[in-house]
Amino acid sequence: SQQLLLGGIAAISLIVGGIGIMNIMLVTVTERTREIGIRKAIGAERRTIIVQFLIEACMICGIGGILGIALGYAITIVLCQQTLGIFMLPAAGITVGSFIISVGLGIVFGLYPAIKASGLQPVEALRAE
């Protein structure tokens, strides 16, 4: 039951973090409307714009994941040293899984802003300021 509770808390945290990433990406789309319009006017495909914004969302989440993993390692090392007197590190599989989940969140929650950006009409996007 403890694992279920911790899993639920982690799931809620991931959803809230994902919504935060989506909001950041939506603001980015709004700020870069003119740039998107220029790219579309010179012939950029929808897919290219979607990939650009997904890569950006994945980079944000990946950097956050790396910082979270580094913090987790530091806390694990310090707490194990202080309480048990031994040196311990989290399992490599858990570390890799954490990073993959982090980047996956970037893809899932960055998809809507990326599709929204790719759907802008060039004339309307260029007119926006």
Side-chain angles (χ1 to χ4, degrees):
S1 74
Q2 271 185 332
Q3 285 182 330
L4 217 57
L5 178 67
L6 289 175
I9 291 170
I12 291 169
S13 297
L14 288 173
I15 290 170
V16 169
I19 291 170
I21 292 297
M22 187 184 302
N23 285 335
I24 289 169
M25 293 309 298
L26 285 169
V27 168
T28 301
V29 168
T30 304
E31 288 176 352
R32 293 171 43 196
T33 302
R34 192 161 176 82
E35 174 197 332
I36 296 165
I38 292 169
R39 291 191 65 197
K40 289 200 78 163
I42 61 172
E45 297 176 2
R46 275 187 75 129
R47 193 183 81 215
T48 307
I49 294 172
I50 289 173
V51 168
Q52 173 190 346
F53 279 93
L54 282 180
I55 289 172
E56 190 172 329
C58 288
M59 289 298 294
I60 292 170
C61 288
I63 291 169
I66 289 171
L67 292 175
I69 288 168
L71 185 65
Y73 265 71
I75 291 172
T76 300
I77 291 169
V78 169
L79 284 180
C80 286
Q81 198 72 17
Q82 296 296 319
T83 58
L84 304 174
I86 58 173
F87 179 79
M88 287 181 71
L89 289 176
I94 292 174
T95 303
V96 170
S98 300
F99 183 75
I100 290 171
I101 288 172
S102 177
V103 173
L105 274 174
I107 293 171
V108 170
F109 286 96
L111 201 56
Y112 173 70
I115 291 171
K116 184 177 178 186
S118 72
L120 292 174
Q121 295 299 321
V123 175
E124 295 297 321
L126 287 170
R127 196 177 294 159
E129 191 59 38

